[in-house]
Amino acid sequence: MKSFETLGLSKGLVESVLQIGFETPTPIQEKAIPVLLNGNRDFVGLAQTGTGKTAAFGLPLLELVDDKSRDTQALVLAPTRELGLQIANDLENFSEKFKSFNIVAVYGGSSISEQIRKVKKGAQIIVATPGRLIDLIDRKAINLKTIKYIVLDEADEMLNMGFKDDLDKILSFTPEDKATWLFSATMPREVRSIMKNYMSDPFELTVGEQNTGNVNIEHHYVIIQDKDRYLALKRILDYNPDIFGLIFCRTRIDTQKIAEMLMKDGYNADALHGDLTQQQRDRVMLKFRQRSLQILVATDVAARGIDVEDISHVIHLNIPDEMEFYTHRSGRTARAGKKGVSIAMISKRELGKVKQIEKTLKSPFKRMTIPTGAEVCQKQLLAFMHKVNEVKVNEDEIAEFLPAIEAELKSLTKQELIKRFASLEFNRFFDYYRNAPDLNVEGRRGASEGGEDRHSSSGARFFINLGKMDGIDVSKLIEVIDDASGLGKSDIGRIDLKGAYSFFEVDTEKADQILKGFSGIEYKGRQVRVEVTEQKEFGSRSRSSSSSSRDNNRGGGGGRSSGRSSGGGSRSRSSSSDQKKKWR
Ligand code: AMP
């Protein structure tokens, strides 16, 4: 593996980069930097977002641009204000120990006169969104005749957003002999035509296979009914208590509505879309970056290009109409070599779209089922108990209160204490999820197609509170079931072992034998709990179909002690029926 020193960069610049924490170049940096340092060749870099493109073009720019001259020598164009600011900020950081540049970001939604003032002071590097740059050109506030390097970052996005005419106009104001560096995650026809019209014999670099998605993203999908979209979203959120996630909606109205519903239901969520003022958007982004906001609900345009570290999940409340949108949405996670999960919520008729993305990205999608109420509760409880285990106790502060606490609780055994403690935190949660309906849609893919397929249509599925953490493996679980109920290996269908719990299936008619058999059974001194999770099979007996209205009318899981109000759970609007067929 190469180091930054061997790529031909100056010592000061290498030091800056190392200080930021970049130890080794990413693949695109390793390949692009030596080429771009030559300075006179047009360049096309085809790489996914999050691969380190900014430093790949930024470091050579900082080498090549003369800080002693006040002429504007480099122009970087980016599709959104967010991305533009990020790039300008990165360039500032990279150059800190190297040269003294005046780097100016020019973008809409902020005082144009202030930006003009900064440009007029002599900015060697300008980072701009196309629309605002056109404003500056029209006001004759900017001279592009001295430009030597122009970077078109996320070119596919700029074209998607309708900046084609603006780009044409901007490029016509720059000198013929400049070098043009174009970066794009995808290579649609429109990008090819920019290359053809404005570049000569570009050096073309593809990092990873063309159109191959970031391998660090796990792509999942869930099939739900349109009416259950919001409930299913809450289940997913509740099943991932430590989520730091981005939820994409198609329209501004949906975005605002879903964010409001989540907030009302006690989630730490907020909205980002174009109907907000710039100040409101900045405030939301700041909260999200600082992680004081856990869930950001956004439109494609507003969240395009944002680089927030460690986003764990991207959830597509609706699968987008355009392939590029899916790439850009999911590219907000798994950045800088980290792992991430992308979950597309689809209706059954949208399976074709998933197949198409799968084919284009050459990344398999895994079918995921919406967690059951029992699974969510188990997961939340364990996550909470894990936090209890990990919490840092401030011995000095708590010491003076301990005697009183101990006196109050002295009659409770450890086990009772744990139970009460858990109940205090989770009773609302249990109430909400008790009898919650299965939100999965039938017609799952068979095992041969891969993906998860937990429920069998003819069998009953059971939850058992024993799992790998109890030393249970498949044969041990069969033994436990046999001991309790007398049902043997041939009666037991699919077994799904999890950490602290498991699932198993038996024929519907043998379900009672299981439930009776396990009544009062203990395993290693612990009460064994077995419950039916597949309600369809037992709807007439214990799980009534009225559970669906329960799920609708309660506040939702999560936010255990957040004083969540009730009455959330209304449905998100579904517009899948009027989706335009724009798949390439
Ligand atoms: P970019 O594609 O330029 O938006 O970069 C994606 C993320 O990777 C950003 O958070 C960068 O700070 C980070 N990054 C870029 N290059 C490196 C590197 N060589 N080592 C570690 N992190 C990097």
Side-chain angles (χ1 to χ4, degrees):
M1 197 179 280
K2 291 202 171 168
S3 63
F4 280 106
E5 284 89 351
T6 58
L7 300 180
L9 297 168
S10 299
K11 203 161 164 266
L13 195 50
V14 172
E15 269 173 26
S16 276
V17 169
L18 291 177
Q19 201 167 49
I20 289 168
F22 295 1
E23 286 167 10
T24 49
T26 64
I28 194 164
Q29 290 161 4
E30 192 177 315
K31 291 190 183 126
I33 290 173
V35 179
L36 296 179
L37 279 176
N38 274 327
N40 47 15
R41 178 107 191 248
D42 285 349
F43 178 95
V44 173
L46 188 53
Q48 297 295 314
T49 58
T51 49
K53 281 185 292 175
T54 316
F57 67 74
L59 300 178
L61 267 193
L62 297 171
E63 281 285 355
L64 294 166
V65 172
D66 178 7
D67 63 333
K68 301 290 178 292
S69 158
R70 303 304 278 183
D71 287 348
T72 300
Q73 300 155 60
L75 177 63
V76 181
L77 292 176
T80 60
R81 162 200 158 99
E82 261 298 324
L83 186 58
L85 279 170
Q86 244 166 239
I87 294 169
N89 195 36
D90 283 354
L91 294 178
E92 297 271 7
N93 290 336
F94 297 155
S95 63
E96 206 177 326
K97 285 195 157 335
F98 180 48
K99 292 180 184 172
S100 168
F101 287 115
N102 185 20
I103 300 168
V104 175
V106 162
Y107 46 84
S110 198
S111 157
I112 193 165
S113 46
E114 178 62 13
Q115 289 172 4
I116 291 174
R117 196 183 59 74
K118 285 185 182 161
V119 168
K120 289 224 159 123
K121 267 173 67 190
Q124 294 98 344
I125 302 176
I126 292 177
V127 185
T129 50
R132 178 52 66 96
L133 188 66
I134 294 282
D135 282 351
L136 262 69
I137 291 173
D138 289 346
R139 292 178 189 219
K140 304 204 175 355
I142 196 162
N143 174 18
L144 299 182
K145 290 284 164 242
T146 49
I147 292 289
K148 291 184 179 156
Y149 310 97
I150 183 160
V151 182
L152 307 176
D153 194 20
E154 307 222 339
D156 52 348
E157 282 304 316
M158 287 198 277
L159 294 166
N160 263 339
M161 290 172 73
F163 285 134
K164 165 93 177 60
D165 292 346
D166 288 352
L167 289 184
D168 285 336
K169 184 166 174 184
I170 291 165
L171 287 163
S172 74
F173 279 93
T174 57
E176 277 283 309
D177 60 355
K178 68 186 178 296
T180 304
W181 303 346
L182 179 149
F183 289 83
S184 193
T186 57
M187 191 50 68
R189 206 176 15 145
E190 296 83 349
V191 175
R192 289 237 164 259
S193 98
I194 290 266
M195 284 165 64
K196 196 164 133 258
N197 296 337
Y198 295 104
M199 299 170 86
S200 61
D201 182 31
F203 183 97
E204 290 192 39
L205 178 66
T206 301
V207 174
E209 230 180 296
Q210 182 172 349
N211 277 334
T212 299
N214 177 341
V215 290
N216 288 325
I217 304 174
E218 272 181 40
H219 298 275
H220 294 282
Y221 67 96
V222 289
I223 304 184
I224 36 110
Q225 290 186 34
D226 284 338
K227 68 176 177 57
D228 292 332
R229 218 169 269 277
Y230 180 65
L231 295 181
L233 172 67
K234 288 202 299 183
R235 289 268 180 100
I236 295 170
L237 297 177
D238 289 344
Y239 192 67
N240 293 283
D242 295 323
I243 194 169
F244 180 50
L246 193 51
I247 299 171
F248 281 98
C249 300
R250 284 223 186 90
T251 65
R252 296 171 184 191
I253 295 171
D254 281 356
T255 304
Q256 185 63 33
K257 193 168 141 190
I258 294 291
E260 278 172 12
M261 282 159 70
L262 287 172
M263 284 187 261
K264 195 165 160 231
D265 282 347
Y267 296 85
N268 180 7
D270 212 334
L272 183 76
H273 55 74
D275 286 344
L276 303 175
T277 64
Q278 198 57 60
Q279 282 80 355
Q280 287 171 318
R281 286 163 64 171
D282 288 347
R283 235 187 348 257
V284 171
M285 277 311 297
L286 184 69
K287 276 198 298 174
F288 193 52
R289 278 186 202 292
Q290 293 175 339
R291 296 179 83 100
S292 53
L293 179 67
Q294 198 181 2
I295 299 161
L296 182 64
V297 190
T299 55
D300 288 285
V301 174
R304 192 161 285 153
I306 64 168
D307 179 22
V308 173
E309 280 180 29
D310 299 326
I311 291 179
S312 63
H313 291 70
V314 167
I315 300 176
H316 313 255
L317 193 72
N318 303 87
I319 197 157
D321 287 331
E322 308 253 7
M323 175 67 209
E324 281 85 356
F325 279 35
Y326 183 85
T327 311
H328 280 276
R329 284 176 173 193
S330 51
R332 299 310 104 213
T333 183
R335 296 176 73 76
K338 309 241 175 73
K339 299 241 180 258
V341 175
S342 166
I343 303 175
M345 301 179 67
I346 63 164
S347 62
K348 223 166 144 187
R349 64 182 174 278
E350 290 172 316
L351 249 182
K353 279 188 182 179
V354 169
K355 296 275 180 209
Q356 249 177 302
I357 305 176
E358 221 171 19
K359 224 164 94 191
T360 316
L361 290 185
K362 300 191 184 81
S363 293
F365 273 60
K366 208 168 163 192
R367 168 95 194 256
M368 212 182 92
T369 44
I370 302 289
T372 61
E375 286 171 304
V376 170
C377 291
Q378 181 88 8
K379 189 81 183 287
Q380 285 275 352
L381 260 173
L382 282 180
F384 181 67
M385 293 311 160
H386 182 72
K387 279 189 191 141
V388 170
N389 236 335
E390 298 284 301
V391 71
K392 193 170 164 288
V393 176
N394 190 331
E395 300 288 353
D396 292 343
E397 292 210 345
I398 199 130
E400 67 172 297
F401 305 108
L402 269 182
I405 296 172
E406 277 165 11
E408 174 70 32
L409 301 175
K410 72 172 184 297
S411 61
L412 298 178
T413 64
K414 180 180 170 188
Q415 207 175 24
E416 277 169 338
L417 202 57
I418 293 172
K419 274 195 281 187
R420 280 162 202 246
F421 189 44
S423 303
L424 202 60
E425 279 290 322
F426 283 94
N427 273 354
R428 275 173 59 84
F429 223 98
F430 292 144
D431 283 348
Y432 175 71
Y433 274 116
R434 186 177 307 120
N435 300 340
D438 181 4
L439 299 179
N440 293 288
V441 171
E442 285 309 311
R444 312 178 157 79
R445 298 204 288 187
S448 59
E449 284 178 73
E452 242 179 311
D453 185 11
R454 296 199 200 142
H455 306 252
S456 108
S457 53
S458 60
R461 187 163 185 264
F462 289 88
F463 160 90
I464 182 165
N465 64 340
L466 299 177
K468 291 180 195 161
M469 277 156 60
D470 304 288
I472 291 283
D473 57 17
V474 170
S475 57
K476 188 77 204 157
L477 185 59
I478 292 172
E479 198 183 310
V480 172
I481 297 169
D482 192 2
D483 284 350
S485 67
L487 293 180
K489 199 173 171 183
S490 58
D491 299 304
I492 300 165
R494 184 177 170 138
I495 288 180
D496 224 354
L497 293 174
K498 306 279 180 194
Y501 56 95
S502 304
F503 298 94
F504 62 91
E505 293 174 353
V506 300
D507 277 351
T508 310
E509 62 266 25
K510 301 204 169 122
D512 272 347
Q513 207 173 327
I514 292 282
L515 291 174
K516 279 189 194 129
F518 271 102
S519 147
I521 293 286
E522 288 192 354
Y523 182 79
K524 293 187 179 166
R526 188 148 66 88
Q527 182 77 40
V528 179
R529 196 163 52 82
V530 169
E531 284 166 16
V532 178
T533 64
E534 178 71 51
Q535 296 165 53
K536 224 168 35 69
E537 309 291 341
F538 291 84
S540 58
R541 258 176 271 169
S542 53
R543 312 282 201 265
S544 88
S545 55
S546 66
S547 55
S548 135
S549 64
R550 176 192 290 267
D551 216 349
N552 260 336
N553 294 330
R554 300 251 172 147
R560 295 173 304 275
S561 43
S562 59
R564 161 171 307 165
S565 64
S566 62
S570 54
R571 290 163 192 160
S572 77
R573 66 173 54 207
S574 162
S575 46
S576 52
S577 57
D578 51 42
Q579 281 160 21
K580 283 168 266 151
K581 294 259 179 280
K582 283 203 254 164
W583 292 78
R584 285 163 225 260

